[in-house]
Amino acid sequence: MKGEISIFIGFECTQCGRRHPPGLVYQCPECGGSLDARYDYERFRQTVSIRDWIGRKERGIWKYRELLPVRARREPITLGEGSTPLIKSHSILKNLNIENFWIKNETVNPTLSFKDRAQSVAVNAAKDLGLGSVVCASTGNTGVAAAAYAARAGLPCSVYVPAGTPDEKLRIIRAFGAELRIVEGNYGDAYAEAGGESVRRGAFNLTSTYLNPYSIEGNKTVAYEIFAELGGVPDWIAIPVGAGPLLDACYKGFRELKAAGLAGSLPRMVGVQAQGCAPIVRAFENEDDQVRPWDAPRTVASGIADPLTTYPADGARTLRTIRESGGAAVAIGEEEIVRFRERLAAEEGLLVETSAATAVAAVSRLRERGLLQEGQSIVSVVTGHGVKDLTATTI
Ligand SMILES: [Zn+2]
């Protein structure tokens, strides 16, 4: 792959539509909207055979580097993220007669969550942009991934986490040599602190909302892998969401495959939240276009406990994508989250974190509501490993 280059050409604002060249940019300088990476798809189609591209046998996300926002002609900084297994579920929901229920197992990434995809792209972008340090806010998984990839890239890293973040995650962040700062308050407070340090010190902000338009692109490789493995598009994809960049990027990945003439359809996207912090689900059910921040998050699913306090527009972007796809947003109760986490381990051999268990509980919910019909296929993305919040059994 050496010598090949991304056909990344810049960003487009998701709110005002203005275009911006590649460079150090987070939100739209004109209106503050979140940005979406753009590519020269015409050149992409001219320079690669799309069928060969999707079928590449190398491991990891960088086999898809043409559609990642990194331009330098050098070997990427990587820990082998991506190429995670797609496992057919045999047991946990067999009473529901779902023939094609697949689990995309993101727990086997290098730091045990899907965040490695985004953070790998982010540190490569930091090198492209000539930045000398990184910072992020995190409920745990992003901090762990950022710390590991910063170590790999030789970049100093600061991680801001809200008080109450599982102790296992804090120990791992420290083990990777990052500077850990525990913030009194919720994720929104940690987000503000990380933003402040980014401005003060010129550190690249790797926070995994829609803030960093480079890192979010790494998430769409989940879609490429699902398509390559299934040889097609599933009817539904269920994804746990805080702000929701994984859901949005996954849908973008399928849209790219459809535009390239490879995919014949698009999946319906299901955003899954915990009932104790469900700002996107509330807006979906109320048929609102805007998402209002959630007052007091209270859930065992700490990885998706994002009240969207200072960036509710991020939730609105995810909501638009869910609606555009003809999908749904569902909230899972605390007892159900814990029960599904236990059952996934005991019946399928998959130890996932509480947030990830919501994506499997959602399948049951969709079936009950008659949305997921017999004969349809669904993929649940289990986003993080259970070993990092093993002690989280109740709130
Ligand atoms: Zn704008």
Side-chain angles (χ1 to χ4, degrees), residues 285-308:
E285 290 178 346
N286 292 341
E287 299 184 1
D288 290 337
D289 292 332
Q290 303 302 316
V291 174
R292 284 183 295 114
W294 194 264
D295 284 339
R298 187 168 162 76
T299 173
V300 70
S302 60
I304 50 172
D306 186 344
L308 306 175

Side-chain angles (χ1 to χ4, degrees), residues 13-18 20 28-33 35:
C13 176
T14 59
Q15 285 184 19
C16 75
R18 283 193 182 84
H20 306 284
C28 175
E30 306 292 333
C31 78
L35 301 179

